[in-house]
Amino acid sequence: MKNLLSKTLLAAAGATLITQAAQAGTTTYTAEDLLLGVQTVTGSPPTAGANDLLIDIGQASAYYQATSPFFVGTQAGTGSGFTLSDVNTVLGSANSQSWAVVGAVKLGDPSNPAGLPANTLFLSKARPDAITQSTPWNSSGSQSTVAGKISTTGSGYNGATALSDSASATSQSTASANPPSYGFEMKPGGNFGGSFGGNLQQVTPGTFSTGGHSFADLYEVPQSGAGGPGTYLGYFDWAIDGTGALSLPVCSGS
């Protein structure tokens, strides 16, 4: 079984640190990077808040090739991780926020060490708790629309203004179509405006800012007309540590 551990457990594991580079205060996206998006979703039918938070958490290959635990991002104040203050500034609170992790392989991507087929998707799914795995997302014969929306989200992130203490994080307008924001592409329903057959988002607890956990599984989902479940890569345990920093995902191997 693979799992994602909290930042506190990372120190004991002696894991490898992965950081996301940025230049001159702007964010950088590379094809097949995974993106962690956070937005405020309320009501029925759901509506999104004015802004979203988008963070690049590194290449998909770091996840599907993992053989030991690793930490993605850095702790608050070192320039790459993001903090509780960032979430509060962009979204008003860390409580009851909808978040998801997405990534995609596009035809001709320069970075594809495993030779994965085009339109392979990397998708999160809400996990009930640390013990119980969610039901995997199923493959479909046509995933190009979702892959394209993920790639477009990355393009909208690339070159954006980074948060002052978080080189891999940026604040966006959820209504922005040019450049395209995470919220604009994902939509409040968490399904890329109906292009995907399920809600990819998890919701943080109502008391998350005071020390909660929020869990989501990560699946690799190849395009396949035969269908079948995606490959389980691990789960995210998103938590707030004692300093107020938000720990980014930590993935372990088998």
Side-chain angles (χ1 to χ4, degrees):
M1 177 180 179
K2 297 185 178 183
N3 65 321
L4 294 151
L5 310 175
S6 72
K7 184 163 60 181
T8 302
L9 294 179
L10 170 70
T16 301
L17 185 69
I18 309 294
T19 62
Q20 181 65 31
Q23 297 179 355
T26 60
T27 53
T28 302
Y29 171 80
T30 301
E32 299 182 29
D33 280 355
L34 298 190
L35 297 167
L36 168 62
V38 192
Q39 61 177 342
T40 305
V41 177
T42 57
S44 180
T47 58
N51 299 311
D52 65 61
L53 181 65
L54 188 60
I55 307 99
D56 188 310
I57 59 172
Q59 286 276 283
S61 58
Y63 295 80
Y64 63 72
Q65 293 182 337
T67 57
S68 61
F70 71 95
F71 181 64
V72 179
T74 57
Q75 295 185 20
T78 57
S80 185
F82 65 107
T83 68
L84 179 60
S85 175
D86 296 329
V87 179
N88 289 337
T89 298
V90 176
L91 301 175
S93 170
N95 299 333
S96 304
Q97 300 295 344
S98 297
W99 64 280
V101 174
V102 296
V105 177
K106 293 287 289 178
L107 185 65
D109 281 350
S111 177
N112 190 357
L116 298 176
N119 302 322
T120 296
L121 305 177
F122 297 91
L123 304 171
S124 62
K125 189 172 187 180
R127 181 183 178 101
D129 51 53
I131 299 173
T132 310
Q133 182 185 336
S134 62
T135 301
W137 295 120
N138 285 321
S139 298
S140 79
S142 178
Q143 299 184 165
S144 60
T145 299
V146 174
K149 287 180 176 291
I150 293 171
S151 179
T152 299
T153 301
S155 297
Y157 167 93
N158 193 52
T161 301
L163 299 181
S164 59
D165 62 349
S166 310
S168 61
T170 190
S171 173
Q172 303 176 316
S173 166
T174 56
S176 177
N178 187 23
S181 69
Y182 167 82
F184 179 81
E185 294 292 347
M186 178 62 82
K187 305 300 186 192
N191 60 3
F192 289 106
S195 297
F196 184 74
N199 188 344
L200 300 166
Q201 300 173 123
Q202 174 61 292
V203 181
T204 62
T207 57
F208 190 56
S209 62
T210 59
H213 291 257
S214 189
F215 302 98
D217 292 320
L218 180 65
Y219 294 99
E220 177 185 322
V221 186
Q223 180 171 276
S224 171
T231 300
Y232 173 66
L233 299 181
Y235 73 88
F236 299 102
D237 176 1
W238 194 26
I240 298 177
D241 72 10
T243 67
L246 294 170
S247 64
L248 286 172
V250 181
C251 181
S252 81
S254 301

